[in-house]
Amino acid sequence: MQARIRVVVAKPGLDGHDRGAKVVARALRDAGMEVVYTGLHQTPEQIVETAIQEDADAIGLSILSGAHMTLFRRVLELLAEREAGDIVVFGGGIIPEDDITELESLGVAKVFTPGATTASIIEWVRANVGSQVA
């Protein structure tokens, strides 16, 4: 029997718009995954700590504030420092195409932009996170 995928969905930084994050969190939950939604205004440190405490398989970051380069990078650095680099990091938001390429080179597994369907996010998580769950 395969364990359920555990995902932490987080809103880092000062961005106060969380409707998309809540929609994704609910869709992942309805698809049978265990989801922890951290709420608004989380620091990268809080997000990584939550992911480690919850034994998460993935972290989904929602960033609309324009601080995606700084915030994604810091989450990845903290995961590496805590020897938790096996936690898959993905995210979404209003992110320019050139920045997506750079984020992926830093280690972000996938970036979803506005218009991505919840079905495509669920499918991607199952294909890229679920296969890693024992």
Side-chain angles (χ1 to χ4, degrees):
M1 185 162 117
Q2 188 174 13
R4 288 180 16 165
I5 299 169
R6 295 179 59 88
V7 181
V8 169
V9 175
K11 286 291 300 181
L14 299 177
D15 177 15
H17 301 282
D18 64 349
R19 183 178 303 176
K22 288 179 177 177
V23 167
V24 170
R26 178 171 288 183
L28 294 173
R29 183 206 63 196
D30 290 351
M33 299 176 206
E34 292 184 44
V35 178
V36 175
Y37 174 60
T38 64
L40 291 169
H41 310 304
Q42 298 295 296
T43 66
E45 291 79 8
Q46 290 171 314
I47 294 164
V48 169
E49 184 63 30
T50 299
I52 290 170
Q53 286 182 6
E54 294 291 337
D55 196 23
D57 303 301
I59 297 172
L61 300 174
S62 172
I63 304 173
L64 301 173
S65 66
H68 48 273
M69 296 305 297
T70 302
L71 294 169
F72 273 107
R73 179 180 283 115
R74 185 66 181 140
V75 167
L76 291 165
E77 289 170 352
L78 290 166
L79 287 170
E81 287 173 14
R82 298 284 304 270
E83 297 182 4
D86 59 327
I87 298 174
V88 176
V89 177
F90 68 97
I94 301 170
I95 301 174
E97 191 65 40
D98 289 345
D99 289 352
I100 292 172
T101 303
E102 187 172 343
L103 289 169
E104 289 171 345
S105 72
L106 291 173
V108 176
K110 179 72 174 172
V111 176
F112 295 94
T113 54
T117 65
T118 54
S120 67
I121 296 168
I122 291 164
E123 181 181 316
W124 183 88
V125 170
R126 283 186 175 145
N128 294 278
V129 178
S131 62
Q132 298 178 21
V133 178

